[in-house]
Protein backbone atom coordinates (compact mmCIF):
# COMPACT_ATOMS: atom_id res chain seq x y z
CA UNK A 1 0.00 0.00 0.00
CA UNK A 2 1.13 3.56 -0.68
CA UNK A 3 0.46 6.79 1.18
CA UNK A 4 0.87 10.48 0.52
CA UNK A 5 4.06 12.18 1.63
CA UNK A 6 2.08 14.23 4.16
CA UNK A 7 0.63 11.09 5.77
CA UNK A 8 4.04 9.41 5.69
CA UNK A 9 5.78 12.35 7.40
CA UNK A 10 3.00 12.90 9.94
CA UNK A 11 3.07 9.26 11.03
CA UNK A 12 6.81 9.13 11.69
CA UNK A 13 6.68 12.47 13.52
CA UNK A 14 3.87 11.13 15.71
CA UNK A 15 5.73 7.91 16.48
CA UNK A 16 8.81 9.96 17.34
CA UNK A 17 6.83 12.25 19.64
CA UNK A 18 5.18 9.35 21.48
CA UNK A 19 8.32 7.21 21.54
CA UNK A 20 8.70 6.73 25.29
CA UNK A 21 9.57 3.46 26.98
CA UNK A 22 12.79 2.38 25.31
CA UNK A 23 13.68 0.63 22.05
CA UNK A 24 11.32 -2.31 22.41
CA UNK A 25 8.38 0.06 22.87
CA UNK A 26 9.48 2.07 19.80
CA UNK A 27 9.73 -1.07 17.67
CA UNK A 28 6.34 -2.28 18.87
CA UNK A 29 4.82 1.07 17.84
CA UNK A 30 6.43 0.86 14.40
CA UNK A 31 5.07 -2.66 13.91
CA UNK A 32 1.58 -1.69 15.07
CA UNK A 33 1.33 1.44 12.92
CA UNK A 34 3.15 0.40 9.75
CA UNK A 35 2.62 -3.36 9.51
CA UNK A 36 -0.62 -4.12 11.35
CA UNK A 37 -2.71 -0.96 11.04
CA UNK A 38 -1.72 0.31 7.60
CA UNK A 39 -0.10 -2.65 5.86
CA UNK A 40 2.59 -0.45 4.32
CA UNK A 41 5.23 -3.18 4.94
CA UNK A 42 4.57 -6.91 5.30
CA UNK A 43 5.50 -8.75 8.49
CA UNK A 44 8.28 -10.83 6.91
CA UNK A 45 10.11 -7.76 5.61
CA UNK A 46 9.70 -6.10 9.02
CA UNK A 47 11.23 -9.10 10.84
CA UNK A 48 14.03 -9.31 8.29
CA UNK A 49 14.87 -5.66 8.88
CA UNK A 50 14.71 -6.07 12.65
CA UNK A 51 17.25 -8.88 12.49
CA UNK A 52 19.57 -6.66 10.47
CA UNK A 53 19.17 -3.64 12.76
CA UNK A 54 19.83 -5.70 15.88
CA UNK A 55 23.14 -6.82 14.36
CA UNK A 56 24.31 -3.32 13.35
CA UNK A 57 25.85 -0.66 15.58
CA UNK A 58 23.43 2.09 16.54
CA UNK A 59 19.97 2.29 18.14
CA UNK A 60 17.80 -0.46 16.63
CA UNK A 61 14.58 1.57 16.87
CA UNK A 62 15.84 4.54 14.86
CA UNK A 63 17.43 2.17 12.35
CA UNK A 64 14.07 0.42 11.96
CA UNK A 65 12.40 3.76 11.22
CA UNK A 66 15.03 4.43 8.56
CA UNK A 67 14.71 0.90 7.15
CA UNK A 68 10.91 1.02 6.93
CA UNK A 69 10.95 4.40 5.18
CA UNK A 70 13.58 3.04 2.77
CA UNK A 71 11.40 0.03 1.98
CA UNK A 72 8.41 2.27 1.31
CA UNK A 73 9.95 5.15 -0.64
CA UNK A 74 13.58 4.36 -1.34
CA UNK A 75 16.49 6.52 -0.23
CA UNK A 76 14.46 9.76 0.21
CA UNK A 77 11.89 7.86 2.26
CA UNK A 78 14.52 6.37 4.57
CA UNK A 79 16.17 9.74 5.09
CA UNK A 80 12.88 11.49 5.85
CA UNK A 81 11.44 8.73 8.07
CA UNK A 82 14.61 8.63 10.15
CA UNK A 83 14.74 12.42 10.57
CA UNK A 84 11.03 12.60 11.45
CA UNK A 85 11.40 9.82 14.01
CA UNK A 86 14.30 11.61 15.73
CA UNK A 87 13.20 15.24 15.39
CA UNK A 88 10.63 15.45 18.25
CA UNK A 89 13.04 13.95 20.75
CA UNK A 90 15.85 16.22 19.56
CA UNK A 91 13.73 19.34 20.01
CA UNK A 92 12.70 18.23 23.51
CA UNK A 93 16.33 17.51 24.48
CA UNK A 94 17.33 20.98 23.22
CA UNK A 95 14.61 22.62 25.31
CA UNK A 96 15.59 20.61 28.41
CA UNK A 97 19.26 21.43 27.81
CA UNK A 98 18.53 25.16 28.03
CA UNK A 99 16.28 24.59 31.04
CA UNK A 100 19.11 22.68 32.70
CA UNK A 101 21.49 25.61 32.18
CA UNK A 102 19.03 28.14 33.56
CA UNK A 103 18.16 25.96 36.54
CA UNK A 104 21.69 25.64 37.92
CA UNK A 105 21.21 28.62 40.23
CA UNK A 106 17.81 27.44 41.56
CA UNK A 107 18.19 25.42 44.82
CA UNK A 108 15.17 23.19 44.21
CA UNK A 109 16.43 22.36 40.73
CA UNK A 110 19.94 21.43 41.89
CA UNK A 111 18.57 19.30 44.75
CA UNK A 112 16.32 17.45 42.30
CA UNK A 113 19.35 16.76 40.09
CA UNK A 114 21.32 15.49 43.09
CA UNK A 115 18.63 12.93 43.94
CA UNK A 116 18.38 11.99 40.27
CA UNK A 117 22.05 11.05 39.85
CA UNK A 118 22.12 7.90 42.06
CA UNK A 119 18.93 6.71 40.36
CA UNK A 120 20.53 7.06 36.92
CA UNK A 121 23.61 5.21 38.22
CA UNK A 122 21.33 2.41 39.45
CA UNK A 123 19.58 2.23 36.06
CA UNK A 124 22.98 1.84 34.40
CA UNK A 125 23.96 -0.98 36.78
CA UNK A 126 20.63 -2.71 36.19
CA UNK A 127 21.18 -2.45 32.43
CA UNK A 128 24.62 -4.05 32.80
CA UNK A 129 23.16 -6.83 35.00
CA UNK A 130 20.39 -7.61 32.50
CA UNK A 131 22.91 -7.81 29.68
CA UNK A 132 25.18 -10.11 31.70
CA UNK A 133 22.25 -12.32 32.73
CA UNK A 134 21.60 -13.01 29.04
CA UNK A 135 25.23 -14.09 28.51
CA UNK A 136 25.14 -17.55 30.04
CA UNK A 137 28.21 -19.16 28.45
CA UNK A 138 31.40 -19.14 30.51
CA UNK A 139 33.47 -17.48 27.78
CA UNK A 140 30.93 -14.66 27.50
CA UNK A 141 31.20 -13.84 31.21
CA UNK A 142 34.99 -14.08 31.12
CA UNK A 143 35.00 -11.66 28.18
CA UNK A 144 32.73 -9.27 30.07
CA UNK A 145 35.01 -9.48 33.11
CA UNK A 146 38.15 -8.76 31.09
CA UNK A 147 36.50 -5.81 29.34
CA UNK A 148 35.38 -4.47 32.73
CA UNK A 149 38.94 -4.84 34.07
CA UNK A 150 40.28 -2.90 31.09
CA UNK A 151 37.66 -0.22 31.61
CA UNK A 152 38.53 0.12 35.30
CA UNK A 153 42.23 0.41 34.48
CA UNK A 154 41.26 3.12 32.03
CA UNK A 155 39.44 5.03 34.80
CA UNK A 156 41.75 4.48 37.77
CA UNK A 157 45.27 4.09 36.33
CA UNK A 158 47.55 5.89 33.86
CA UNK A 159 46.96 3.06 31.37
CA UNK A 160 44.67 3.87 28.44
CA UNK A 161 42.12 1.31 27.29
CA UNK A 162 39.25 3.11 25.47
CA UNK A 163 35.93 1.27 25.73
CA UNK A 164 35.45 1.17 21.96
CA UNK A 165 38.87 -0.38 21.46
CA UNK A 166 38.20 -2.95 24.17
CA UNK A 167 34.94 -4.00 22.50
CA UNK A 168 36.59 -4.32 19.09
CA UNK A 169 39.38 -6.32 20.70
CA UNK A 170 36.82 -8.63 22.33
CA UNK A 171 35.20 -9.28 18.95
CA UNK A 172 38.44 -9.91 17.11
CA UNK A 173 39.77 -12.09 19.96
CA UNK A 174 36.69 -14.27 19.75
CA UNK A 175 37.22 -14.65 16.01
CA UNK A 176 40.88 -15.64 16.51
CA UNK A 177 40.01 -18.18 19.22
CA UNK A 178 37.34 -19.69 16.96
CA UNK A 179 39.89 -20.45 14.22
CA UNK A 180 41.33 -23.97 14.20
CA UNK A 181 45.14 -24.25 14.08
CA UNK A 182 44.96 -26.22 10.87
CA UNK A 183 42.85 -23.65 9.09
CA UNK A 184 43.91 -20.13 10.11
CA UNK A 185 41.72 -18.47 7.51
CA UNK A 186 41.92 -14.69 7.70
CA UNK A 187 38.87 -12.63 6.81
CA UNK A 188 38.35 -12.77 3.08
CA UNK A 189 37.48 -9.80 0.93
CA UNK A 190 33.85 -10.81 1.26
CA UNK A 191 34.12 -10.63 5.04
CA UNK A 192 36.06 -7.36 5.16
CA UNK A 193 32.89 -5.46 5.99
CA UNK A 194 32.97 -6.78 9.55
CA UNK A 195 36.14 -4.71 10.14
CA UNK A 196 34.58 -1.53 8.76
CA UNK A 197 34.37 0.16 12.17
CA UNK A 198 38.18 0.15 12.49
CA UNK A 199 39.11 2.43 9.55
CA UNK A 200 35.83 4.31 9.78
CA UNK A 201 36.40 5.05 13.46
CA UNK A 202 39.81 6.58 12.73
CA UNK A 203 38.67 8.61 9.70
CA UNK A 204 36.98 11.37 11.76
CA UNK A 205 40.34 12.19 13.35
CA UNK A 206 40.85 14.28 10.23
CA UNK A 207 38.15 16.60 11.56
CA UNK A 208 39.68 16.94 15.03
CA UNK A 209 41.48 20.16 14.10
CA UNK A 210 38.27 21.82 12.86
CA UNK A 211 37.54 23.47 16.17
CA UNK A 212 34.82 22.35 18.57
CA UNK A 213 32.38 21.26 15.85
CA UNK A 214 35.07 19.05 14.32
CA UNK A 215 35.85 17.52 17.70
CA UNK A 216 32.17 16.85 18.36
CA UNK A 217 31.75 15.23 14.97
CA UNK A 218 34.82 13.01 15.47
CA UNK A 219 33.86 11.84 18.96
CA UNK A 220 30.22 11.15 18.20
CA UNK A 221 30.78 9.56 14.79
CA UNK A 222 33.20 7.06 16.35
CA UNK A 223 30.71 6.40 19.12
CA UNK A 224 27.92 5.80 16.60
CA UNK A 225 30.01 3.04 15.04
CA UNK A 226 30.29 1.12 18.29
CA UNK A 227 26.86 1.35 19.96
CA UNK A 228 26.13 -2.40 20.10
CA UNK A 229 23.68 -3.89 22.58
CA UNK A 230 21.49 -0.93 23.57
CA UNK A 231 21.47 2.84 23.80
CA UNK A 232 23.06 3.00 27.28
CA UNK A 233 26.23 1.56 25.73
CA UNK A 234 27.03 5.19 24.86
CA UNK A 235 27.98 5.67 28.54
CA UNK A 236 31.29 3.74 28.49
CA UNK A 237 32.00 4.99 24.98
CA UNK A 238 31.43 8.67 25.77
CA UNK A 239 31.79 9.49 29.45
CA UNK A 240 35.57 9.55 29.74
CA UNK A 241 36.04 11.42 26.46
CA UNK A 242 33.45 14.05 27.38
CA UNK A 243 35.04 14.61 30.80
CA UNK A 244 38.66 14.62 29.56
CA UNK A 245 37.83 17.16 26.85
CA UNK A 246 36.30 19.42 29.49
CA UNK A 247 32.82 19.50 27.95
CA UNK A 248 31.08 18.19 31.11
CA UNK A 249 32.04 16.68 34.44
CA UNK A 250 30.79 13.24 35.50
CA UNK A 251 27.80 14.59 37.43
CA UNK A 252 26.71 16.75 34.50
CA UNK A 253 27.08 13.78 32.17
CA UNK A 254 24.69 11.82 34.39
CA UNK A 255 22.22 14.71 34.10
CA UNK A 256 22.51 14.43 30.33
CA UNK A 257 21.78 10.69 30.43
CA UNK A 258 18.70 11.45 32.54
CA UNK A 259 17.48 13.99 29.98
CA UNK A 260 18.00 11.40 27.25
CA UNK A 261 15.97 8.90 29.28
CA UNK A 262 12.97 11.16 29.91
CA UNK A 263 12.76 12.41 26.31
CA UNK A 264 11.02 10.47 23.54
CA UNK A 265 13.19 8.57 21.10
CA UNK A 266 16.47 6.72 21.71
CA UNK A 267 18.59 7.61 24.75
CA UNK A 268 21.44 8.23 22.29
CA UNK A 269 19.90 11.71 21.92
CA UNK A 270 21.99 12.47 25.02
CA UNK A 271 24.46 13.49 22.32
CA UNK A 272 22.45 16.68 21.76
CA UNK A 273 22.76 17.61 25.44
CA UNK A 274 26.53 17.11 25.39
CA UNK A 275 26.96 19.14 22.20
CA UNK A 276 24.73 21.91 23.53
CA UNK A 277 26.60 22.30 26.82
CA UNK A 278 30.03 21.97 25.21
CA UNK A 279 29.35 24.87 22.84
CA UNK A 280 27.27 27.19 24.99
CA UNK A 281 30.23 28.91 26.64
CA UNK A 282 31.85 29.62 23.28
CA UNK A 283 28.93 31.06 21.34
CA UNK A 284 25.71 31.17 23.33
CA UNK A 285 22.41 29.59 22.34
CA UNK A 286 22.74 29.70 18.55
CA UNK A 287 26.16 28.04 18.52
CA UNK A 288 24.98 25.56 21.16
CA UNK A 289 22.06 24.49 18.95
CA UNK A 290 24.42 24.09 15.98
CA UNK A 291 26.81 21.98 18.08
CA UNK A 292 23.94 19.84 19.43
CA UNK A 293 22.75 19.15 15.88
CA UNK A 294 26.33 18.35 14.79
CA UNK A 295 26.79 15.82 17.60
CA UNK A 296 23.39 14.26 16.90
CA UNK A 297 24.00 14.04 13.16
CA UNK A 298 27.41 12.47 13.73
CA UNK A 299 26.23 9.75 16.11
CA UNK A 300 23.32 8.77 13.84
CA UNK A 301 25.22 9.09 10.55
CA UNK A 302 26.50 5.48 10.66
CA UNK A 303 22.93 4.23 11.14
CA UNK A 304 21.66 6.16 8.11
CA UNK A 305 24.66 5.07 6.03
CA UNK A 306 24.43 1.38 6.92
CA UNK A 307 20.70 1.20 6.10
CA UNK A 308 20.44 3.53 3.11
CA UNK A 309 23.67 2.55 1.37
CA UNK A 310 24.38 -1.02 2.34
CA UNK A 311 21.24 -2.72 3.70
CA UNK A 312 21.08 -5.47 1.08
CA UNK A 313 24.82 -6.20 1.29
CA UNK A 314 24.82 -6.14 5.11
CA UNK A 315 21.81 -8.46 5.17
CA UNK A 316 23.93 -11.07 3.40
CA UNK A 317 27.10 -10.24 5.30
CA UNK A 318 25.58 -10.78 8.74
CA UNK A 319 24.84 -14.41 7.84
CA UNK A 320 28.55 -15.20 7.41
CA UNK A 321 30.00 -17.29 10.28
CA UNK A 322 33.02 -15.00 10.74
CA UNK A 323 30.79 -11.95 11.14
CA UNK A 324 28.58 -13.75 13.65
CA UNK A 325 31.69 -14.76 15.60
CA UNK A 326 33.08 -11.23 15.80
CA UNK A 327 29.69 -9.82 16.81
CA UNK A 328 29.25 -12.49 19.49
CA UNK A 329 32.60 -11.55 21.04
CA UNK A 330 31.86 -7.83 20.87
CA UNK A 331 28.40 -8.22 22.40
CA UNK A 332 29.82 -10.46 25.16
CA UNK A 333 32.05 -7.58 26.23
CA UNK A 334 29.29 -4.95 26.38
CA UNK A 335 28.13 -5.69 29.98
CA UNK A 336 31.70 -5.30 31.21
CA UNK A 337 32.14 -1.97 29.43
CA UNK A 338 28.89 -0.63 30.90
CA UNK A 339 29.75 -1.85 34.42
CA UNK A 340 33.25 -0.32 34.25
CA UNK A 341 31.77 3.05 33.31
CA UNK A 342 29.15 2.74 36.06
CA UNK A 343 31.76 2.52 38.85
CA UNK A 344 33.13 6.11 38.69
CA UNK A 345 29.68 7.47 37.82
CA UNK A 346 28.21 5.84 40.93
CA UNK A 347 30.96 7.30 43.10
CA UNK A 348 30.26 10.75 41.65
CA UNK A 349 26.52 10.32 42.24
CA UNK A 350 26.97 9.30 45.88
CA UNK A 351 29.30 12.23 46.56
CA UNK A 352 26.97 14.78 44.94
CA UNK A 353 24.62 15.04 47.96
CA UNK A 354 24.05 13.78 51.48
CA UNK A 355 25.79 10.40 51.37
CA UNK A 356 23.21 8.34 53.29
CA UNK A 357 20.37 9.77 51.19
CA UNK A 358 22.25 9.08 47.95
CA UNK A 359 23.10 5.52 49.00
CA UNK A 360 19.51 4.84 50.01
CA UNK A 361 18.19 6.16 46.69
CA UNK A 362 20.79 4.16 44.77
CA UNK A 363 20.01 0.91 46.61
CA UNK A 364 16.26 1.29 46.28
CA UNK A 365 16.44 2.24 42.59
CA UNK A 366 18.82 -0.66 41.87
CA UNK A 367 16.45 -3.14 43.53
CA UNK A 368 13.42 -1.76 41.69
CA UNK A 369 15.27 -1.80 38.35
CA UNK A 370 16.82 -5.25 38.64
CA UNK A 371 13.57 -6.86 39.80
CA UNK A 372 11.60 -5.05 37.08
CA UNK A 373 9.18 -3.46 39.53
CA UNK A 374 9.67 0.00 38.00
CA UNK A 375 10.72 1.18 34.56
CA UNK A 376 13.32 3.95 34.14
CA UNK A 377 10.84 6.74 33.33
CA UNK A 378 8.71 6.41 36.52
CA UNK A 379 11.88 5.90 38.57
CA UNK A 380 13.33 9.15 37.26
CA UNK A 381 10.05 10.99 37.86
CA UNK A 382 9.90 9.70 41.44
CA UNK A 383 13.48 10.74 42.16
CA UNK A 384 12.81 14.26 40.90
CA UNK A 385 9.77 14.55 43.17
CA UNK A 386 11.83 13.27 46.13
CA UNK A 387 14.43 15.95 45.40
CA UNK A 388 11.82 18.70 45.34
CA UNK A 389 10.33 17.37 48.59
CA UNK A 390 13.71 17.34 50.32
CA UNK A 391 14.34 20.93 49.28
CA UNK A 392 10.91 21.96 50.56
CA UNK A 393 11.55 20.29 53.93
CA UNK A 394 14.84 22.15 54.48
Amino acid sequence: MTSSWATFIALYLRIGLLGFGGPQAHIAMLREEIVLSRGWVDADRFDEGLGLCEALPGPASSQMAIYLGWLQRGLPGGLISGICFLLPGLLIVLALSELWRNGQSIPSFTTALQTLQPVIAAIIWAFAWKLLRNRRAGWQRITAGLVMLGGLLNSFSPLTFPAGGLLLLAGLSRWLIAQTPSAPTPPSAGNAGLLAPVPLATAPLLFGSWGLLGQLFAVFFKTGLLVFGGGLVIIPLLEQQVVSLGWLNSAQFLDGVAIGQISPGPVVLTSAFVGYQAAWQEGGVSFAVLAACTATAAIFLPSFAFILVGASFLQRLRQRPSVKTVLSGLLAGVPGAVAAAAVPLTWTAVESGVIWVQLLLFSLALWLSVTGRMKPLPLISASLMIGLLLEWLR
Side-chain angles (χ1 to χ4, degrees):
M1 294 179 64
T2 59
S3 62
S4 68
W5 274 110
T7 303
F8 178 88
I9 291 170
L11 178 63
Y12 281 99
L13 283 171
R14 183 165 68 84
I15 293 173
L17 182 62
L18 300 175
F20 295 95
Q24 297 309 316
H26 305 161
I27 291 169
M29 287 178 65
L30 288 167
R31 180 187 290 274
E32 174 65 31
E33 295 286 352
I34 292 166
V35 177
L36 301 179
S37 296
R38 291 169 175 79
W40 289 352
V41 174
D42 65 57
D44 289 341
R45 297 298 299 275
F46 185 96
D47 292 342
E48 182 181 287
L50 182 57
L52 172 64
C53 294
E54 292 285 3
L56 290 175
S61 58
S62 54
Q63 288 177 333
M64 276 303 292
I66 299 165
Y67 174 81
L68 293 169
W70 173 71
L71 280 182
Q72 292 172 255
R73 293 181 174 270
L75 193 148
L79 190 62
I80 291 171
S81 65
I83 290 172
C84 290
F85 177 78
L86 295 171
L87 185 60
L90 173 61
L91 294 176
I92 290 171
V93 170
L94 289 175
L96 292 174
S97 298
E98 181 60 21
L99 177 64
W100 180 89
R101 287 203 68 85
N102 292 329
Q104 296 300 301
S105 60
I106 303 172
S108 58
F109 187 85
T110 55
T111 303
L113 290 179
Q114 286 174 0
T115 57
L116 178 61
Q117 288 174 10
V119 171
I120 294 298
I123 290 170
I124 296 167
W125 277 110
F127 176 66
W129 166 250
K130 289 171 184 175
L131 289 175
L132 185 62
R133 190 175 56 192
N134 292 330
R135 274 77 169 168
R136 293 186 171 86
W139 71 266
Q140 291 177 312
R141 298 193 170 186
I142 291 171
T143 300
L146 290 173
V147 170
M148 182 177 179
L149 177 61
L152 291 174
L153 288 173
N154 197 36
S155 298
F156 298 107
S157 79
L159 300 175
T160 302
F161 297 102
L166 288 169
L167 291 176
L168 285 175
L169 182 62
L172 293 173
S173 298
R174 182 61 185 167
W175 177 81
L176 289 171
I177 292 170
Q179 307 307 303
T180 59
S182 59
T185 55
S188 65
N191 291 334
L194 70 92
L195 298 177
V198 180
L200 285 174
T202 57
L205 294 176
L206 298 172
F207 298 96
S209 61
W210 291 15
L212 178 60
L213 294 181
Q215 284 185 310
L216 284 166
F217 182 87
V219 167
F220 283 95
F221 183 83
K222 288 187 290 182
T223 301
L225 286 167
L226 294 170
V227 182
F228 288 93
L232 287 176
V233 178
I234 64 166
I235 292 165
L237 297 173
L238 275 182
E239 188 261 343
Q240 190 171 39
Q241 295 184 83
V242 167
V243 173
S244 64
L245 288 167
W247 293 342
L248 297 171
N249 60 37
S250 292
Q252 292 168 338
F253 182 75
L254 276 174
D255 293 342
V257 174
I259 285 175
Q261 287 268 15
I262 64 176
S263 303
V267 71
V268 176
L269 285 169
T270 298
S271 56
F273 175 87
V274 175
Y276 191 94
Q277 307 308 333
W280 198 92
Q281 295 287 357
E282 288 195 20
V285 173
S286 58
F287 188 54
V289 171
L290 176 61
C293 292
T294 299
T296 304
I299 203 167
F300 284 102
L301 181 58
S303 295
F304 279 92
F306 283 134
I307 298 298
L308 299 181
V309 177
S312 57
F313 168 72
L314 292 168
Q315 193 72 271
R316 297 191 301 272
L317 183 66
R318 78 181 185 92
Q319 301 300 328
R320 293 177 180 269
S322 55
V323 176
K324 290 182 177 180
T325 301
V326 171
L327 285 175
S328 69
L330 191 151
L331 290 169
V334 167
V338 175
V343 172
L345 289 175
T346 304
W347 183 257
T348 298
V350 170
E351 286 189 319
S352 66
V354 180
I355 290 180
W356 72 267
V357 174
Q358 303 296 86
L359 284 173
L360 180 61
L361 287 169
F362 172 79
S363 302
L364 182 59
L366 183 62
W367 176 70
L368 291 170
S369 295
V370 169
T371 58
R373 284 175 166 80
M374 284 187 77
K375 299 293 184 184
L377 189 58
L379 262 178
I380 291 168
S381 301
S383 70
L384 290 172
M385 288 189 286
I386 290 170
L388 293 173
L389 178 63
L390 288 174
E391 182 61 30
W392 180 72
L393 291 173
R394 284 182 179 179

